[in-house]
Amino acid sequence: TRKTTSFDKTWESSASSGYCSDDESQPELEQYFTARTSLGRKPQTEIKKDEPVESRKQEWSVAEIQHKVKEYNSLIHSNLFMNTNRDGSYTGFVKVQFKLARPVSVPPPRKGPARQEAGGKKATGVKRRTSFYLPKDTCKHLHISSHTSAREVIEALLKKFTVVDNPAKFALFERRERHEQVYLRKISDDERPLRLRLATGPDEKLLSFVLKENETGEVNWHAFSMPELKNFLRILQREEEEHVKQIMQRYTLARTRLQEALPGSSPG
């Protein structure tokens, strides 16, 4: 395992805590304004714990699937039913809650026809993006099939919100409540969320889906664009300057108090 560096800790604690807007004067330059952060983490109310679920390993017959779908539909209080197909596959809805700590990027609004250079050629302007925070606890229902993977669910969610960030930056989690404890498990890319939904039933306390940043312990810097990486460097520089300033003030104060405590010394 790789030793965690202070650089990783800084990224994990605050990476981008602010608002970023489209700026015509700085093509594809996303400015992140961060508040002063601490390398210490607040205690989490949710316990992350991977637990094996037998329903993910066991294959069902067509008759079992039909029975489970019928039972599932009898328990829901909406029109979000599941439907079976002759080949043994089935379709239905999954609800995903967004819990993102960082802003997402979307294409900027179009502002009329592209400008043209002398000679009639279109100007080859650089791409621009607008970044913003999704409202807290945003939820989205998706209609998917039993063959739809978790990775495809993530891609579909980003497409619905026109998010242009790399899907690898995000991960789908299952959230379960048991014995007054909350368990979070990262769903692998090839798992099928609708199968998990059918196996558990419609109760959101027993199983719900959450989209979060893909925290792997190591940051995949290759998933970020060049402007984003430059912004992170600026963030680190500002935080470093702030920490250095605080340390210097602390030592200056300690030195002053020591000098005041020395015999025969006068304040100031």
Side-chain angles (χ1 to χ4, degrees), residues 26-45:
Q26 295 174 316
E28 205 177 331
L29 176 59
E30 298 185 356
Q31 299 176 345
Y32 294 85
F33 301 93
T34 63
R36 186 173 57 193
T37 58
S38 170
L39 295 182
R41 287 190 166 215
K42 295 181 180 179
Q44 295 181 339
T45 57

Side-chain angles (χ1 to χ4, degrees), residues 143-173:
H143 187 258
I144 62 176
S145 78
S146 54
H147 298 305
T148 305
S149 67
R151 176 53 49 187
E152 291 170 331
V153 167
I154 293 172
E155 293 171 353
L157 288 169
L158 298 182
K159 185 176 180 181
K160 280 189 174 293
F161 284 92
T162 65
V163 174
V164 296
D165 291 306
N166 191 327
K169 294 182 183 179
F170 306 92
L172 193 64
F173 289 79

Side-chain angles (χ1 to χ4, degrees), residues 5-185:
T5 64
S6 58
F7 187 69
D8 293 328
K9 289 181 180 178
T10 304
W11 159 252
E12 290 174 356
S13 64
S14 64
S16 56
S17 172
Y19 175 79
C20 163
S21 60
D22 179 44
D23 188 347
E24 288 289 343
S25 63
Q26 295 174 316
E28 205 177 331
L29 176 59
E30 298 185 356
Q31 299 176 345
Y32 294 85
F33 301 93
T34 63
R36 186 173 57 193
T37 58
S38 170
L39 295 182
R41 287 190 166 215
K42 295 181 180 179
Q44 295 181 339
T45 57
E46 295 180 336
I47 301 174
K48 295 184 179 181
K49 183 177 180 181
D50 291 345
E51 289 193 344
V53 178
E54 292 301 323
S55 61
R56 292 198 295 267
K57 303 176 182 178
Q58 180 183 357
E59 291 297 332
W60 301 324
S61 66
V62 174
E64 287 175 322
I65 290 173
Q66 291 174 344
H67 174 73
K68 287 180 179 293
V69 169
K70 185 177 180 179
E71 185 178 17
Y72 179 94
N73 289 339
S74 68
L75 296 173
I76 64 174
H77 304 287
S78 66
N79 60 348
L80 303 179
F81 297 105
M82 286 196 187
N83 296 292
T84 56
N85 301 315
R86 292 182 178 179
D87 61 357
S89 63
Y90 48 98
T91 58
F93 293 86
V94 292
K95 176 183 175 182
V96 181
Q97 183 181 30
F98 287 71
K99 282 189 174 294
L100 302 177
R102 303 171 198 141
V104 294
S105 301
V106 297
R110 295 187 178 184
K111 300 180 180 179
R115 293 172 298 178
Q116 291 189 346
E117 297 176 344
K121 295 182 180 180
K122 289 185 178 181
T124 56
V126 274
K127 296 180 180 179
R128 296 181 176 88
R129 298 189 299 180
T130 300
S131 293
F132 69 99
Y133 285 104
L134 282 174
K136 186 179 180 181
D137 295 335
T138 298
C139 294
K140 188 69 177 178
H141 283 90
L142 283 180
H143 187 258
I144 62 176
S145 78
S146 54
H147 298 305
T148 305
S149 67
R151 176 53 49 187
E152 291 170 331
V153 167
I154 293 172
E155 293 171 353
L157 288 169
L158 298 182
K159 185 176 180 181
K160 280 189 174 293
F161 284 92
T162 65
V163 174
V164 296
D165 291 306
N166 191 327
K169 294 182 183 179
F170 306 92
L172 193 64
F173 289 79
E174 66 173 28
R175 182 180 186 274
R176 298 177 182 267
E177 296 183 26
R178 288 198 305 276
H179 309 301
E180 299 182 354
Q181 296 282 353
V182 177
Y183 298 89
L184 276 181
R185 184 186 70 87

Side-chain angles (χ1 to χ4, degrees), residues 188-208:
S188 61
D189 287 348
D190 58 349
E191 283 187 66
R192 295 168 288 172
L194 192 61
R195 178 183 173 84
L196 296 174
R197 179 83 279 166
L198 180 59
T200 308
D203 193 333
E204 290 286 325
K205 288 187 176 181
L206 296 180
L207 171 68
S208 60

